[in-house]
Amino acid sequence: MTNNPSKDVLATRENIELLLQHDTKVKVAVVDTDGLLRGKVMHKNKFLQIVDDGFGFCSVVFGWDILDKLYSTKVEFGGDDCQYPDLLAKVDLTSYRRIPWENNIPFFLLYLVHPTTNQPLYCCPRTCLKQVVDDFKEIGYTALSGVEFEFFCFKETASSVVEKGHTNLLPLTVGMCGYSLLRPSQNQDFYYNAFDWLKDFNVDMESWHTETGPGVFEAAIAYTEAKEAGDRATLFKTAMKQIALKHGFMASFMAKPYESMPGCSGHMHFSLKNKDGKNAFAIWNKDDESHIPNMSITMVHFLAGVLHGLPSILAILAPTINSYKRLVENYWAPVTVSWGIENRLGAVRVIAPPTSSKNAARLEMRVGGADINPHLAMAAVLKCGYWGIKTKQELPVEAMAGSYQPQGQRLARTLQEAVVAMEAENSVARTVLGDEFVNHYTKTRQHEWNLWQNAVTDFERRRYMELV
């Protein structure tokens, strides 16, 4: 165990110098479109100088892709005619924590401000989530969320993966060993260090275990207020990669690494708390009742908004080319606009009494994979739910009964189809996320699709090289 002095400590402008009195450096980071942390280490004195007014952060982080290749689709902060002005980066003191596996260096996340409008940056993932959290507060609700990630671990490094051409990777463990108590013993230092270090990093795991598949783990990140939940989920992915490297191997959050095995999910849970501190998805009196037993009218409207919006936010829940290899029939992944009460076959699972307590009533969005940008995915779902409540949306499809599939819309089969649904003139995504965000985001995904269209794959070589 480490002794992390940031655990449960709230940083403020009044105490920040005291909190950093024994430090010489500070790490800061923004979250980019793909959910990657982009940041730097700063001298403590420089950090203290910019706490009040912020500092310049190059806008290219929203002008290039996951491999630092400039977007080919002419986004605002990329392209041949872009001068790459600085964004204004503002320190979020509430994000203060220390990194145990990096000698407890202090760490802060940033918000970004547009260089010309001086408004919160429309494509900043943390801003998108904060805005909808604030919207809920204005109508008397606190949004809560939590994420469960599945991910593969390999006995590889970044260099060895390149040397192998990203194929024939050696898994950390062998076999299909879900919920195994034997497999973690083979990597016990990693298994327990990860749990303890993440706790000290203020990214508590409620639990974690082996999942079915070679070298696969699943971690449930503690349920909390949605803005903090977004931070924790994003930090978890980078932290787990770093912790794995500390122990000599590599963690991957790719949605579908293997053709013949299930993919890796990034399931998100949501609920609302009302002004009285009660779960707004539960029924506490007659006024809460809906036409569906054990589901409050607020829960029904929230769910309806999410289901109506789902086809047009799919490009956020499934943001990569590989995402759609997971979203196929017969692999426990939802492919339609669908929902069910305690039913894991639909896009949304309703968890409500009598199988849960009232306080635990919630919705589980099961579409997203491990490759989501958690801030954007949470924001998109919450914004659809908010819209559903505000406009009193009705459910577009009835609940699934057993394995029965109502005739809900089939979700997009490719990233290109999802982009078309998102950028449609009257899409729910445009209504809830705004034109500026949708126009920017769809261009970044179109860039991904363009690269894929030009790629020549191993599948093509195996199938056509000799015989056509």
Side-chain angles (χ1 to χ4, degrees):
M1 291 287 290
T2 59
N3 181 19
N4 192 332
S6 74
K7 184 65 177 170
D8 300 322
V9 174
L10 179 65
T12 66
R13 188 62 190 89
E14 290 68 34
N15 69 4
I16 189 65
E17 293 189 33
L18 180 63
L19 290 177
L20 303 181
Q21 62 179 323
H22 300 301
D23 297 291
T24 59
K25 54 189 177 294
V26 177
K27 182 175 281 192
V28 297
V30 302
V31 181
D32 77 2
T33 303
D34 290 289
L36 272 65
L37 294 178
R38 305 278 191 170
K40 62 176 74 175
V41 171
M42 305 177 71
H43 193 288
K44 180 186 71 174
N45 292 343
K46 172 66 174 178
F47 175 82
L48 291 174
Q49 291 170 10
I50 57 88
V51 164
D52 291 326
D53 299 323
F55 67 101
F57 203 109
C58 184
S59 59
V60 74
V61 295
F62 288 97
W64 62 20
D65 66 14
I66 199 169
L67 293 179
D68 294 5
K69 182 178 177 64
L70 293 175
Y71 291 122
S72 57
T73 43
K74 294 189 179 299
V75 298
E76 179 179 2
F77 302 111
D80 295 336
D81 56 350
C82 182
Q83 298 180 15
Y84 305 104
D86 273 351
L87 304 168
L88 178 63
K90 302 281 288 186
V91 177
D92 181 1
L93 290 177
T94 68
S95 68
Y96 167 61
R97 55 212 346 119
R98 289 175 179 267
I99 307 175
W101 54 94
E102 294 186 18
N103 298 317
N104 278 333
I105 184 174
F107 175 85
F108 296 86
L109 287 165
L110 307 169
Y111 285 112
L112 294 168
V113 176
H114 196 283
T116 57
T117 66
N118 204 34
Q119 296 297 311
L121 185 66
Y122 60 87
C123 54
C124 172
R126 297 191 75 237
T127 293
C128 291
L129 182 54
K130 181 180 183 298
Q131 287 172 339
V132 70
V133 166
D134 291 343
D135 287 342
F136 271 112
K137 287 180 180 177
E138 287 186 6
I139 61 172
Y141 294 116
T142 299
L144 304 172
S145 188
V147 185
E148 301 164 343
F149 281 119
E150 297 170 346
F151 58 99
F152 279 82
C153 290
F154 302 98
K155 292 181 180 178
E156 305 287 351
T157 65
S159 296
S160 70
V161 168
V162 171
E163 290 168 3
K164 290 184 173 184
H166 296 83
T167 61
N168 300 317
L169 306 185
L170 186 63
L172 187 63
T173 57
V174 297
M176 308 290 279
C177 298
Y179 297 100
S180 172
L181 296 185
L182 177 63
R183 287 292 181 259
S185 299
Q186 296 175 251
N187 301 279
Q188 188 165 293
D189 286 346
F190 163 68
Y191 193 67
Y192 290 123
N193 282 342
F195 190 92
D196 294 338
W197 285 346
L198 283 164
K199 179 177 178 60
D200 284 344
F201 191 46
N202 291 343
V203 182
D204 294 68
M205 289 190 283
E206 289 183 348
S207 64
W208 85 306
H209 59 86
T210 60
E211 186 50 272
T212 297
V216 186
F217 292 91
E218 179 175 355
I221 304 169
Y223 204 69
T224 189
E225 184 274 325
K227 186 174 79 69
E228 175 66 15
D231 287 350
R232 291 183 182 186
T234 294
L235 292 172
F236 173 85
K237 293 176 72 172
T238 296
M240 190 57 75
K241 292 175 186 178
Q242 292 177 333
I243 293 169
L245 289 172
K246 282 281 187 181
H247 292 82
F249 52 89
M250 186 184 80
S252 172
F253 289 81
M254 186 176 175
K256 180 86 169 186
Y258 295 108
E259 176 182 335
S260 59
M261 293 184 185
C264 293
S265 65
H267 295 162
M268 297 176 289
H269 293 248
F270 298 93
S271 65
L272 301 176
K273 189 163 54 177
N274 63 25
K275 292 178 180 178
D276 298 327
K278 293 182 177 180
N279 190 328
F281 285 175
I283 297 173
W284 301 96
N285 55 55
K286 282 279 187 181
D287 293 337
D288 297 330
E289 292 180 355
S290 72
H291 66 288
I292 302 175
N294 301 311
M295 291 177 62
S296 74
I297 189 66
T298 300
M299 187 184 210
V300 171
H301 288 326
F302 185 104
L303 172 61
V306 170
L307 292 176
H308 281 291
L310 180 55
S312 68
I313 64 168
L314 183 63
I316 294 177
L317 300 177
T320 72
I321 298 298
N322 182 252
S323 302
Y324 298 82
K325 305 299 173 68
R326 171 181 164 268
L327 295 177
V328 295
E329 287 80 358
N330 303 320
Y331 271 108
W332 282 64
V335 296
T336 62
V337 175
S338 52
W339 68 282
I341 298 174
E342 279 297 351
N343 192 323
R344 285 182 165 86
L345 300 179
V348 180
R349 177 171 69 121
V350 172
I351 303 163
T355 56
S356 77
S357 68
K358 288 185 178 183
N359 287 328
R362 62 195 187 277
L363 299 177
E364 180 188 21
M365 169 55 72
R366 297 181 56 80
V367 175
D371 55 354
I372 56 170
N373 176 333
H375 285 95
L376 290 184
M378 284 184 189
V381 173
L382 286 169
K383 282 175 179 281
C384 287
Y386 175 83
W387 170 75
I389 292 172
K390 291 283 286 185
T391 58
K392 295 182 170 55
Q393 291 294 311
E394 298 295 334
L395 293 169
V397 65
E398 64 187 79
M400 302 171 68
S403 60
Y404 165 62
Q405 283 273 15
Q407 296 302 307
Q409 178 180 342
R410 207 311 180 170
L411 297 174
R413 297 173 186 270
T414 67
L415 182 59
Q416 170 69 350
E417 290 180 17
V419 166
V420 170
M422 187 178 205
E423 65 185 0
E425 184 177 352
N426 296 318
S427 72
V428 175
R430 285 197 180 276
T431 299
V432 302
L433 292 163
D435 288 333
E436 272 192 313
F437 174 86
V438 169
N439 292 341
H440 176 89
Y441 186 79
T442 53
K443 286 179 180 179
T444 71
R445 297 310 97 184
Q446 187 63 50
H447 168 81
E448 291 288 317
W449 181 256
N450 292 345
L451 292 176
W452 168 246
Q453 288 291 88
N454 293 331
V456 178
T457 67
D458 288 345
F459 169 86
E460 293 166 282
R461 282 187 285 267
R462 290 194 304 268
R463 192 167 183 85
Y464 307 123
M465 182 71 77
E466 177 191 1
L467 298 176
V468 295

